[in-house]
Amino acid sequence: MQGESYGYAILQRIAAVSNGALDWTEGMLYPVLHRMERDGLIEALWRPSESGRRRKYYSISAKGKAALSEQRAEWRVVQDTLGQLLGGSHV
Amino acid sequence: MFERELAAWIETCVARERLSSLQLEELSDHLLHKAELLVAQGRDRSAAFSSAARDLGEVSLLAAEFQKVSHAMNPISKCIGIAITSTLFFAGADSVISLGIFLHLPALAIVLGVVVGGLWASFGPQTMWRTLRFSLAGAGSAQADERELFEAVLRRGHSLSWAAGVLGMLVGIIGLLQNLSFEDPSAFGSALALCILTLLYGALMAELGFRTLRQWLRASAPTRVLA
């Protein structure tokens, strides 16, 4: 949703946001990105990086944004339900 | 900076795994980027690359996940594949012999009876139906334990198909020996047909049916990202 990014940067962002709680197998992100690209949820572009190597940058597509809105709505339902079950506080 | 280490890593990937050049390029960039950052933080060069390669994950697992992405098919592709197989097989067979010879109801009954009966007794009709539906349509929404159950059904179906073929072949041989008569050679024709065709039906059901469904099921499995 926040412009374009590449695999390693996405992993760093997730690690930062989760304070290291989400332990990723780093390489496994790439088949997921390829699957999402195949399904039209994200778009990819090869560009030179700061090191001079070619790097694949990903950005969300219109179809991806629609899917994300749907999943966000579903997640809110789960979050609210869990929050009520656990005594009113949001998890 | 890491040419030698990267070359050795790529050689391992290419020798052992079926990664495309673009997949290798993307993974190599990740590897080098991380290794360079670790060196910038003061790590030793060799240790930085080893650490980056370790964190990237087991290459064989990555290759398996990439293959799922490239092998996943939509229903139209599946139908086209089946149509090509059937058309060419029967066209080739029809050029040599009459296709009516392949239709043998007793052989079909033996194979279907053993396979369907065996699966029914082991898993029940509901699980059989769900397995067929998810294998054909893609089991992306199925939970991991349900997916394992579907795999078990298809593995069992594959085994039962071959077993049915062999059993039918043995029944046919027994019938053949029972009817063996030099005075009336035609008497053992039907037993011989049973013998051969049950094996054919069993083999087709196992390899073109259940093995294909297993491949479709595996191809639709989601990728596990969390370690």
Side-chain angles (χ1 to χ4, degrees), chain B residues 37 44-45 50-51 58 68 87 89 113 115 131 135 148 154 162 178 193 213 218:
Chain B
L37 289 173
D44 168 64
R45 194 185 107 170
S50 300
S51 177
E58 189 61 47
K68 278 187 211 171
T87 304
F89 176 81
V115 172
T131 303
S135 303
E148 275 176 26
L154 295 175
W162 275 112
Q178 199 171 35
L213 288 174
R218 281 179 186 166

Side-chain angles (χ1 to χ4, degrees), chain A residues 14 24 32-33 60 65 83 85-86 88:
Chain A
I14 290 168
W24 290 77
V32 173
L33 290 173
I60 193 166
K65 284 178 186 169
L85 283 172
L86 293 171

Side-chain angles (χ1 to χ4, degrees), chain B residues 13-92:
Chain B
C13 290
V14 169
R16 287 193 207 161
E17 314 301 343
R18 293 183 293 267
L19 288 170
S20 72
S21 56
L22 288 177
Q23 288 162 354
L24 266 179
E25 189 177 355
E26 193 172 13
L27 291 175
S28 299
D29 175 57
H30 176 106
L31 203 52
L32 292 173
H33 188 46
K34 179 153 187 179
E36 286 159 2
L37 289 173
L38 289 173
V39 166
Q41 289 167 13
R43 291 279 287 271
D44 168 64
R45 194 185 107 170
S46 175
F49 190 89
S50 300
S51 177
R54 197 173 47 246
D55 291 343
L56 188 66
E58 189 61 47
V59 177
S60 57
L61 295 177
L62 295 183
E65 294 300 327
F66 274 122
Q67 278 177 28
K68 278 187 211 171
V69 179
S70 52
H71 287 171
M73 292 181 292
N74 59 38
I76 294 174
S77 298
K78 292 172 184 175
C79 290
I80 291 173
I82 293 168
I84 290 172
T85 305
S86 310
T87 304
L88 290 178
F89 176 81
F90 288 113

Side-chain angles (χ1 to χ4, degrees), chain B:
Chain B
M1 196 196 297
F2 297 100
E3 289 81 13
R4 202 178 49 204
E5 289 91 343
L6 184 65
W9 182 83
I10 288 176
E11 199 180 316
T12 309
C13 290
V14 169
R16 287 193 207 161
E17 314 301 343
R18 293 183 293 267
L19 288 170
S20 72
S21 56
L22 288 177
Q23 288 162 354
L24 266 179
E25 189 177 355
E26 193 172 13
L27 291 175
S28 299
D29 175 57
H30 176 106
L31 203 52
L32 292 173
H33 188 46
K34 179 153 187 179
E36 286 159 2
L37 289 173
L38 289 173
V39 166
Q41 289 167 13
R43 291 279 287 271
D44 168 64
R45 194 185 107 170
S46 175
F49 190 89
S50 300
S51 177
R54 197 173 47 246
D55 291 343
L56 188 66
E58 189 61 47
V59 177
S60 57
L61 295 177
L62 295 183
E65 294 300 327
F66 274 122
Q67 278 177 28
K68 278 187 211 171
V69 179
S70 52
H71 287 171
M73 292 181 292
N74 59 38
I76 294 174
S77 298
K78 292 172 184 175
C79 290
I80 291 173
I82 293 168
I84 290 172
T85 305
S86 310
T87 304
L88 290 178
F89 176 81
F90 288 113
D94 191 44
S95 66
V96 180
I97 49 177
S98 165
L99 281 181
I101 291 176
F102 285 105
L103 185 60
H104 194 271
L105 292 180
L108 202 58
I110 288 176
V111 172
L112 283 178
V114 169
V115 172
V116 173
L119 288 177
W120 194 292
S122 301
F123 300 102
Q126 200 175 10
T127 304
M128 287 165 65
W129 172 243
R130 282 177 66 78
T131 303
L132 182 63
R133 202 158 55 88
F134 277 94
S135 303
L136 290 172
S141 60
Q143 300 297 322
D145 53 352
E146 210 177 12
R147 194 176 280 281
E148 275 176 26
L149 180 61
F150 298 156
E151 270 270 338
V153 172
L154 295 175
R155 260 198 317 270
R156 185 87 179 111
H158 184 265
S159 305
L160 282 171
S161 299
W162 275 112
V166 170
L167 280 171
M169 187 182 72
L170 291 173
V171 168
I173 289 172
I174 292 169
L176 201 69
L177 293 172
Q178 199 171 35
N179 291 321
L180 200 60
S181 166
F182 291 107
E183 292 165 3
D184 183 18
S186 64
F188 55 76
S190 60
L192 187 58
L194 184 78
C195 181
I196 293 171
L197 288 174
T198 45
L199 195 56
L200 176 67
Y201 292 157
L204 287 175
M205 194 175 284
E207 299 305 324
L208 290 185
F210 287 104
R211 192 183 282 276
T212 304
L213 288 174
R214 270 183 84 184
Q215 178 56 35
W216 289 348
L217 185 68
R218 281 179 186 166
S220 67
T223 301
R224 276 197 186 168
V225 182
L226 295 179

Side-chain angles (χ1 to χ4, degrees), chain A residues 16-33:
Chain A
V17 166
S18 69
N19 285 326
L22 286 180
D23 185 14
W24 290 77
T25 303
E26 293 183 3
M28 286 298 184
L29 175 65
Y30 293 98
V32 173
L33 290 173

